Amino acid sequence: MTQEPQSPDLALDLDALSAAVGEHPDRPAAWRFIRAFARDWSQRPLTETDGCTPAELDAAQARLGLPLPAALREAYQLLGRRPDLTDHQDALLAPQDLYLDEDRGVLVFRVENQSCAYWGIRVTDLEQDDPPVVARADLVRPTADDWTAWLGRVSVEFIEIVLSEALCADEDLMGWVPLGDTGLPEDITGTFRRLPFPEYPIGQQPGSRWYAHDEIILRDDRQTALFRARTEAALDRFDGEDDEG
């Protein structure tokens, strides 16, 4: 994947993002992107005390009797104690709360805030360093295996987590745009840059897409678009452009 040039008005490390999601996976680039995002979009940068300890993760492995993939361990050691980055809408489970969906053979690590959806890794993939992530809606009549593909790697999923949770991090800096059959309005498609992030869930067409412009991040979910401004000034500029459109 061709790397996009760095753009200071976006306040995003696009080089790291491109490397993390590219054809040749660069897992450390995912953590670089998250570090930069925490620094620029949250109240404080990540520190060494913001992650879970190896001992906590070892204890989770022993309790579950299952290996934790390298990428999952690295993510927890990076930001496992930063709910401001991971838990505004949905919840990243603490190591002691990780659990196995035994009927379907999936290790669950993230839960929607009303337990309407779950994210996990198939047990058969746990030996991989950076395995694919699957998701499941809380259906009234679940099938024998209702977990479906979500994103191709755990490291990419954690980028999605911090971006998605940032949308809900500050009510005064967030909003939504209703979308009709034609999708994003021209004033957005003409100014916003599509981020080098895969369309997801995997196999769903069309799926969610990420965009950014002038200190605004936006997720196009095809029916609505949620956005978040980094600053009040950026939100005012966005609202002004929207009024003009």
Side-chain angles (χ1 to χ4, degrees):
M1 180 180 293
T2 302
Q3 289 191 354
E4 296 281 357
Q6 190 71 21
S7 181
D9 65 324
L10 297 182
L12 295 170
D13 189 341
L14 296 185
D15 290 341
L17 181 59
S18 294
V21 304
E23 295 179 4
H24 304 287
D26 182 353
R27 194 163 75 244
W31 315 140
R32 290 199 301 273
F33 177 85
I34 290 172
R35 285 186 181 279
F37 190 83
R39 180 194 65 214
D40 295 332
W41 288 78
S42 72
Q43 295 183 352
R44 60 184 178 87
L46 283 162
T47 69
E48 293 183 358
T49 61
D50 289 333
C52 300
T53 67
E56 289 177 289
L57 298 168
D58 291 343
Q61 285 190 154
R63 173 178 59 81
L64 293 163
L66 296 168
L68 298 183
L72 189 67
R73 291 182 65 100
E74 290 167 5
Y76 270 89
Q77 289 179 242
L78 177 66
L79 73 166
R81 297 184 186 278
R82 283 293 297 270
D84 61 306
L85 296 173
T86 62
D87 287 48
H88 288 288
Q89 172 65 27
D90 306 320
L92 179 68
L93 298 180
Q96 63 269 24
D97 296 326
L98 296 171
Y99 70 92
L100 178 65
D101 179 344
E102 295 184 1
D103 292 337
R104 303 166 185 83
V106 174
L107 176 66
V108 181
F109 64 85
R110 186 185 182 200
V111 179
E112 195 267 343
N113 67 348
Q114 295 182 331
S115 297
C116 292
Y118 307 84
W119 292 263
I121 306 164
R122 293 191 183 279
V123 170
T124 52
D125 293 331
L126 289 178
E127 295 291 348
Q128 298 181 37
D129 286 343
D130 200 356
V133 173
V134 292
R136 179 175 73 85
D138 189 13
L139 304 175
V140 175
R141 296 177 181 176
T143 62
D145 184 3
D146 46 11
W147 288 90
T148 58
W150 177 254
L151 277 166
R153 297 192 292 275
V154 166
S155 57
V156 177
E157 163 63 358
F158 273 84
I159 293 175
E160 193 273 337
I161 287 174
V162 298
L163 287 173
S164 291
E165 295 302 317
L167 294 176
C168 307
D170 190 331
E171 292 184 359
D172 294 331
L173 296 176
M174 63 176 288
W176 63 284
V177 178
L179 304 181
D181 295 336
T182 57
L184 287 173
E186 291 184 3
D187 59 323
I188 291 180
T189 58
T191 55
F192 275 62
R193 174 186 298 189
R194 170 86 184 272
L195 293 184
F197 194 85
E199 196 167 328
Y200 67 102
I202 293 173
Q204 176 176 306
Q205 297 295 327
S208 293
R209 297 178 177 181
W210 283 96
Y211 294 82
H213 167 66
D214 191 21
E215 297 187 299
I216 301 282
I217 55 173
L218 179 148
R219 190 183 68 207
D220 173 10
D221 291 331
R222 301 308 186 181
Q223 294 181 336
T224 59
L226 301 176
F227 67 86
R228 155 83 192 285
R230 192 169 77 96
T231 64
E232 291 183 5
L235 181 63
D236 290 341
R237 291 193 296 271
F238 179 69
D239 286 341
E241 292 172 0
D242 189 53
D243 291 340
E244 293 173 7

